[in-house]
Amino acid sequence: MKNKISSFQMFLLMFQMILSSSVLLMPSITTMLSGKDMWMTPIFSMLIGYLTIWLAFKLYKLAPHGSFVKLLESTFGKVIGKGMNVLFIIFQVHIIAIATRDYGEFIVTNFYLKTPVYIIITSMLILCAWVVSGGIEVLARTGQVFIPIITICTLFIFVFLIPELDPSTIFPIFEKGAAPVFKGSVVVAGWFCQIFLVVYILPFVKQEKSIQKWGYICVTGIGLLMLIANITVFMLMSESASFYNYPVFTAARYIAYAEFFEHVEAIVMMVWVLGEFFKISFYYFTIYLSLSETLELQKPVVIILPIGLLLLLSTFWLAKDFQMIGDFISKSGTLYILTGFFIFPLVIYALTVIKQRLKA
């Protein structure tokens, strides 16, 4: 709990946490909702990302010792504050359970057809538990090594697809007006607002003055990579991208050079596994940190394995298959996520400011 990380390491963790699942899943959902204009959805959704960074930093500055858990307790009283913290922890467990099941379904469906999905998910959670037990610095240093590799590999996939792309597929722009773009943008905003979880690790960041700067750079970088993913997939597959669960994975199969550079989809698997490792680990750490603060544990390490067991059970209880996951993300799930990661913190910020001004 006493480890410290740099603002650049914070940037890397936030960057991969949001990007890990969005690049593979987002093009299919945004094509279904926005049609030809799906490529524009990350541009409009970035606004939510910038606002979320601003909101997280403001709450960090208002909180006692920078702790969001203590902020809720000081604003609403110890009993109500602890209750709100527990509800927010349950909300996080729900979201990461869905993401973990999606990871397991992808691996089993496309690579390990005869391996039970619970083996894939359990092995990932054990690895994440081991990293979380080492603290935020271990996770950050691991990200410093692997996240640049993940990003470069992802960009290479899109570069190799350039000869196959047809730019004419994106025209005419705004063919059906702005409403479809808005629908797709709201879904993408559901990914951006998850960046609020950075509020839990801000007390561990050494360079406080550069937190906001790296946060805004992170949102911009995520938005650009989302834009590249969307426009590449649509120029390659057009509106048929909506029929594929993982269109980027399907697109990678188009890559073939000189009969020896083929089967690039294996790189997609590597990117997905490493990306989900950082996303699950980050959520795992925030749940572990907030629960230990809420319960005021002297030795918080004792709850790491029970949290892992809770995540494992929740993965099979809350997300039964990919169809359920897809329906959740494209329908009620978006409003649910925005409520938890954006509207809830915004209300907390407003009430905290009002209370402090009344006291003054």
Side-chain angles (χ1 to χ4, degrees):
M1 293 295 188
K2 296 180 181 179
N3 294 339
K4 291 290 183 179
I5 62 174
S6 68
S7 52
F8 177 68
Q9 289 173 322
M10 175 203 73
F11 153 76
L12 288 175
L13 290 176
M14 286 192 299
F15 182 81
Q16 192 56 47
M17 181 191 67
I18 305 303
L19 208 61
S20 59
S21 58
S22 63
V23 169
L24 277 177
L25 290 171
M26 179 187 56
S28 175
I29 298 170
T30 51
T31 301
M32 181 173 59
L33 295 173
S34 303
K36 288 180 180 291
D37 297 321
M38 55 81 80
W39 62 273
M40 290 188 283
T41 53
I43 299 173
F44 298 104
S45 303
M46 286 166 64
L47 176 62
I48 291 294
Y50 293 129
L51 289 173
T52 305
I53 288 292
W54 173 84
L55 184 59
F57 187 74
K58 287 294 184 182
L59 287 171
Y60 161 68
K61 297 297 290 183
L62 289 171
H65 309 293
S67 169
F68 182 64
V69 172
K70 299 302 179 187
L71 176 66
L72 291 178
E73 292 181 11
S74 64
T75 303
F76 300 99
K78 201 160 189 179
V79 175
I80 297 176
K82 285 184 181 295
M84 293 174 73
N85 276 312
V86 170
L87 289 175
F88 195 53
I89 290 168
I90 294 171
F91 168 74
Q92 292 174 58
V93 169
H94 187 191
I95 300 302
I96 197 56
I98 291 170
T100 305
R101 183 56 186 264
D102 183 37
Y103 154 78
E105 291 293 332
F106 172 78
I107 297 298
V108 170
T109 304
N110 295 287
F111 296 98
Y112 298 106
L113 303 179
K114 296 183 179 180
T115 303
V117 68
Y118 66 84
I119 297 294
I120 301 295
I121 291 174
T122 302
S123 59
M124 173 60 83
L125 288 174
I126 290 172
L127 180 61
C128 293
W130 176 70
V131 171
V132 169
S133 67
I136 189 64
E137 189 176 6
V138 173
L139 181 59
R141 289 186 180 277
T142 307
Q144 216 169 344
V145 173
F146 288 107
I147 292 174
I149 297 173
I150 297 170
T151 306
I152 291 169
C153 288
T154 304
L155 288 172
F156 267 131
I157 290 169
F158 297 136
V159 168
F160 288 136
L161 284 169
I162 289 175
E164 306 290 336
L165 304 184
D166 180 11
S168 66
T169 56
I170 67 171
F171 298 104
I173 295 174
F174 288 118
E175 181 182 20
K176 297 181 181 178
V181 180
F182 175 76
K183 288 180 182 178
S185 298
V186 170
V187 172
V188 180
W191 269 291
F192 273 110
C193 70
Q194 293 178 56
I195 211 167
F196 174 74
L197 286 179
V198 74
V199 74
Y200 286 107
I201 68 167
L202 291 183
F204 302 101
V205 180
K206 289 180 286 190
Q207 302 103 331
E208 187 179 292
K209 292 181 179 179
S210 59
I211 285 174
Q212 279 187 289
K213 179 189 77 173
W214 280 108
Y216 295 141
I217 291 172
C218 177
V219 172
T220 305
I222 292 168
L224 288 174
L225 209 50
M226 283 180 170
L227 177 62
I228 292 170
N230 267 5
I231 204 165
T232 301
V233 167
F234 197 81
M235 285 184 180
L236 183 69
M237 300 180 178
S238 188
E239 296 191 47
S240 64
S242 63
F243 298 112
Y244 296 97
N245 292 334
Y246 309 99
V248 173
F249 176 75
T250 305
R253 290 175 169 167
Y254 283 77
I255 300 172
Y257 286 92
E259 297 184 359
F260 70 91
F261 190 74
E262 297 179 339
H263 302 294
V264 182
E265 61 268 22
I267 297 177
V268 177
M269 184 189 75
M270 180 198 75
V271 169
W272 180 253
V273 171
L274 287 172
E276 286 299 293
F277 161 72
F278 287 108
K279 184 182 183 78
I280 296 167
S281 295
F282 195 95
Y283 265 87
Y284 201 141
F285 181 80
T286 59
I287 292 168
Y288 158 64
L289 181 65
S290 55
L291 185 59
S292 62
E293 283 193 60
T294 302
L295 299 177
E296 299 179 9
L297 299 176
Q298 296 298 317
K299 294 182 179 180
V301 72
V302 299
I303 64 172
I304 290 180
L305 288 180
I307 290 172
L309 181 59
L310 173 64
L311 292 176
L312 179 63
L313 296 175
S314 300
T315 296
F316 295 97
W317 179 46
L318 298 172
K320 299 186 184 302
D321 51 41
F322 180 82
Q323 187 63 44
M324 181 178 175
I325 295 167
D327 289 343
F328 174 79
I329 294 172
S330 60
K331 295 177 183 176
S332 61
T334 297
L335 181 60
Y336 176 68
I337 292 170
L338 285 169
T339 300
F341 285 125
F342 186 73
I343 296 174
F344 170 68
L346 189 61
V347 171
I348 298 301
Y349 173 69
L351 292 175
T352 303
V353 170
I354 290 169
K355 182 179 180 180
Q356 291 186 356
R357 287 184 179 177
L358 289 175
K359 279 186 176 180

